[in-house]
Amino acid sequence: MCRADMPLIEINFDGIVGPTHNYAGLSFGNLAAIAHAGAVSHPRAAALQGIAKMRHNLGLGLAQGFLLPLPRPNAGFLKAMAASSETDPTLTAIAWSASAMWAANAATVSPAPDTADRRCHVTPANLVTMPHRAQEWPDTTRQLALALADSRHFVLHDSVPPSFGDEGAANHMRMCPRHDAGGIEIFIYGRHGGKFPARQHEEASRAVARRHGLDPARVLFAEQNPQAIAAGAFHNDVVAVANEHVLLCHELAFVEPDALFREIRARVPEAEIIVVPNSAMSLAEAIRSYLFNAQMVTLPDGTMALIAPDEAWSSAPARCWLDTLVAGNGPIRRVFPIDVRQSMANGGGPACLRLRVVADPATIDPRFLADSGKLERIEAVVTHHWPESLDPAELGNPALARDVLAARAALCDALDLAELT
Ligand code: SUG
């Protein structure tokens, strides 16, 4: 149980980009991933960009954790499918996918102040809509079971049964006066029938809320605007981001925005809702620039900042909005553009790369918490072992498979996490 004096803070767990990061074009509906299908990727640069982001955020005084890449190629998957790289290139690409890097899809997290038993509840996402992502949850669960092993503070649930798609924190927002205070949790689901799959199912969202022991009066369910899904934003975190009492979203993020905003204000009276109108920025530009996939964070001085992708900084409409936000004396005081281009080319921005957990860091397995020395160790392993480039045509190559498995094992060793090898 949480004691009242425990410092609950937001910890961002970033997914370390794995050595098989590649552009195989597996994510139908993800416009960036499809646009880059077949391109040569740069796994080492991708991982170094992720490490630089963690280092940057640590430097801001934020708490930083990480999750390791999952074992790839996934031999168990290939065996279960009786697949061979000569005859089954798509199954091979699935088995090699480094998609667990987008840790926002790893799980849904309800911090202790929101739950009936005052423990932090976590449900690993089943990610069933996309085959390359549906293989993640068993290994993700294994990792979360280590990182959040202290059952006095954490409850790790099974994933939602696979009949119902669950994409984790990407379709979940929390609003509260402060991270350590009770808040409301907002689950955003999609409706089927559009041009692209709606990956988050309402049934899954409702199941997670019930399992986490949330107070029904403090839970909201809202439907994503089908226009947003059709424009490539099946994950709500591409069109909306919340931090403490602030919500920043695109005008076309939700089917019934006014009703949602009313419900939020009724429960969080201090809520500040900033809506970017479609006339100022089209959905297409929001998704191209990933403005809303910025990490919105509270800095140690209590002000808020956006860790935004370079693509948003260099988009004229997004930049105009960012400048207006900062100049406007509102809650967001600073913007930090960062380079996560390798991830962005697969449709994953700064916020996709991290899973937020509000907890006392002392209750987390310290092996998953970053400091500058540990980031240097990770960087050394990546620099030495991660492939410089990877052509999707090389997936399935047995020598390369040995190299990338050894690369991941070296990382596990360096972090004293050999049990994940
Ligand atoms: O699931 N891309 C991921 C991007 C996830 C973004 N996450 C959030 N918005 N939270 C996806 O579509 C591309 C993989 C490939 O094509 O190989 C991919 O899976």
Side-chain angles (χ1 to χ4, degrees), residues 17-23 41-43 46 96 98 101 342-343 346 390:
V17 179
T20 63
H21 160 67
N22 71 85
Y23 301 126
S41 64
H42 297 283
W96 283 67
M101 64 199 271
Q342 281 291 311
S343 169
N346 243 342
L390 183 47

Side-chain angles (χ1 to χ4, degrees), residues 21-34 37 93 97-105 127 130 132-133 136 167 169-171 199 234-238 290 293 343 345-349 351-354:
H21 160 67
N22 71 85
Y23 301 126
L26 297 175
S27 242
F28 177 60
N30 180 328
L31 302 188
I34 296 306
S97 175
S99 54
M101 64 199 271
W102 298 295
N105 300 115
L127 296 166
M130 291 288 147
H132 67 291
R133 305 224 57 183
E136 293 175 27
E167 298 280 319
N171 286 62
R199 294 206 206 172
F234 43 85
H235 287 140
N236 172 68
D237 66 4
V238 175
Y290 263 42
N293 202 254
S343 169
N346 243 342
C352 301
L353 285 162
R354 62 94 174 93

Side-chain angles (χ1 to χ4, degrees), residues 202-269:
E202 181 178 359
E203 297 88 339
S205 296
R206 290 188 183 274
V208 171
R210 285 192 298 270
R211 290 142 149 248
H212 286 194
L214 302 177
D215 174 356
R218 302 191 62 75
V219 180
L220 298 174
F221 297 94
E223 186 186 337
Q224 273 189 282
N225 190 330
Q227 287 184 65
I229 302 179
F234 43 85
H235 287 140
N236 172 68
D237 66 4
V238 175
V239 283
V241 54
N243 179 55
E244 294 188 323
H245 65 289
V246 180
L247 169 63
L248 172 66
C249 63
H250 190 271
E251 182 185 357
L252 298 179
F254 312 109
V255 166
E256 292 185 329
D258 295 339
L260 176 65
F261 300 160
R262 227 178 9 256
E263 303 272 17
I264 291 173
R265 290 196 177 98
R267 289 165 179 79
V268 183

Side-chain angles (χ1 to χ4, degrees), residues 44-60:
R44 190 183 308 157
L48 293 177
Q49 287 168 2
I51 295 164
K53 168 161 108 72
M54 287 195 262
R55 187 172 282 135
H56 173 270
N57 290 355
L58 262 184
L60 292 177

Side-chain angles (χ1 to χ4, degrees), residues 66-136:
F66 50 80
L67 295 172
L68 273 67
L70 305 184
R72 298 287 179 267
N74 182 349
F77 173 80
L78 288 170
K79 185 160 178 258
M81 298 300 289
S84 92
S85 53
E86 286 84 51
T87 50
D88 303 296
T90 303
L91 293 175
T92 300
I94 289 172
W96 283 67
S97 175
S99 54
M101 64 199 271
W102 298 295
N105 300 115
T108 307
V109 181
S110 295
D114 296 353
T115 69
D117 66 2
R118 293 291 180 264
R119 291 187 290 172
C120 176
H121 285 245
V122 179
T123 296
N126 63 28
L127 296 166
V128 288
T129 307
M130 291 288 147
H132 67 291
R133 305 224 57 183
Q135 62 181 330
E136 293 175 27

